[in-house]
């Protein structure tokens, strides 16, 4: 709107249509920026609590997108809002894909460390096969019922179980 007024004040020939298009784009860009800032705060908060269950992460992503859309729709205007919303959705999707990857990495690191220290206790010469299997089973169950991405927990538990069994039985 200011460009339109400035154009009139300077004596330029202004197009109401191009001025209105600029107003719409500016309003939509501002609305998208505010919604993205809100989503960035949600991502920052979630990142501080990783690893978390993947279903909770998906639910948070859906809630965040709904809140961003509500905030965007409250301020966006005109016929260009659709293209700006699509751009914002891509940005939100990228934020949460990055967060999902980080969640998987933190889950893997947490459980590799936890199971690694637990399985190092299985190397004692005085442990019986039954004691080893019981300890191994307890450690794996702890991992499977623990925090973080379930798929990654299963993968880590299977890797460690396989490695531990191989090492334990080869050492005996």
């Amino acid at each position: 709107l200011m460009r339109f007024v400035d154009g009139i004040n300077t004596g330029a020939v202004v197009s109401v249509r191009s001025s209105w298009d600029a107003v719409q784009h500016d309003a939509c860009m501002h609305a998208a920026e505010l919604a993205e800032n809100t989503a960035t705060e949600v991502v920052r908060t979630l990142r501080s609590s990783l690893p978390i269950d993947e279903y909770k992460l998906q639910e948070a992503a859906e809630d965040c997108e709904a809140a961003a859309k509500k905030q965007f729709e409250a301020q966006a205007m005109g016929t260009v809002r659709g293209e700006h919303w699509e751009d914002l959705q891509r940005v939100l999707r990228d934020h949460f894909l990055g967060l999902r990857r980080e969640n998987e990495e933190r889950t893997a690191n947490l459980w590799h460390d936890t199971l690694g220290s637990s399985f190092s206790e299985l190397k004692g010469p005085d442990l019986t096969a039954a004691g080893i299997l019981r300890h191994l089973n307890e450690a794996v169950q702890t991992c499977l019922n623990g925090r973080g991405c379930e798929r990654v927990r299963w993968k880590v538990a299977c890797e460690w179980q396989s490695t531990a069994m191989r090492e334990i039985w080869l050492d005996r």
Side-chain angles (χ1 to χ4, degrees), residues 9 28 47 72 101 128-129 140:
N9 287 339
C28 288
R47 182 170 282 124
F72 176 80
R101 280 190 297 273
T128 64
V140 168

Side-chain angles (χ1 to χ4, degrees), residues 67-85:
K69 183 168 185 153
K70 184 177 180 180
Q71 185 175 19
F72 176 80
E73 291 294 332
Q75 297 196 355
M77 61 185 338
T79 58
V80 296
R81 70 180 5 172
E83 66 189 70
H84 287 277
W85 172 244

Side-chain angles (χ1 to χ4, degrees), residues 129-144:
I132 292 170
L133 290 175
R134 186 173 42 258
H135 186 75
L136 181 61
N137 186 47
E138 288 171 4
V140 168
Q141 286 303 313
T142 299
C143 175
L144 295 178

Side-chain angles (χ1 to χ4, degrees), residues 7-165:
I8 291 173
N9 287 339
T10 60
V13 176
V14 293
S15 164
V16 173
R17 181 179 188 89
S18 64
S19 295
W20 177 242
D21 287 345
V23 167
Q24 291 179 78
H25 280 287
D26 288 347
C28 288
M29 286 173 40
H30 179 68
E33 183 180 318
L34 291 175
E36 183 180 353
N37 289 342
T38 300
T40 300
E41 285 303 313
V42 170
V43 168
R44 187 174 293 124
T45 301
L46 284 170
R47 182 170 282 124
S48 69
S49 62
L50 295 180
I52 60 174
D53 184 272
E54 59 200 315
Y55 303 108
K56 289 180 183 175
L57 185 60
Q58 181 62 36
E59 186 178 299
E62 291 168 3
D63 291 348
C64 182
E65 184 173 339
K69 183 168 185 153
K70 184 177 180 180
Q71 185 175 19
F72 176 80
E73 291 294 332
Q75 297 196 355
M77 61 185 338
T79 58
V80 296
R81 70 180 5 172
E83 66 189 70
H84 287 277
W85 172 244
E86 288 174 8
D87 290 343
L88 179 58
Q89 280 182 304
R90 277 190 287 280
V91 169
L92 296 175
R93 191 171 32 254
D94 289 346
H95 278 314
F96 277 94
L97 284 175
L99 193 60
R100 183 170 288 120
R101 280 190 297 273
E102 188 173 341
N103 189 45
E104 290 175 0
E105 288 172 17
R106 287 192 188 186
T107 299
N109 291 340
L110 170 69
W111 291 108
H112 274 295
D113 291 347
T114 302
L115 291 175
S117 65
S118 179
F119 290 148
S120 67
E121 298 170 11
L122 297 178
K123 300 236 177 175
D126 56 335
L127 289 175
T128 64
I132 292 170
L133 290 175
R134 186 173 42 258
H135 186 75
L136 181 61
N137 186 47
E138 288 171 4
V140 168
Q141 286 303 313
T142 299
C143 175
L144 295 178
N145 295 322
R147 291 176 42 206
C149 177
E150 182 178 14
R151 179 178 47 80
V152 173
R153 289 193 329 259
W154 273 93
K155 180 181 176 200
V156 169
C158 290
E159 288 171 359
W160 272 102
Q161 189 172 28
S162 172
T163 300
M165 294 296 285

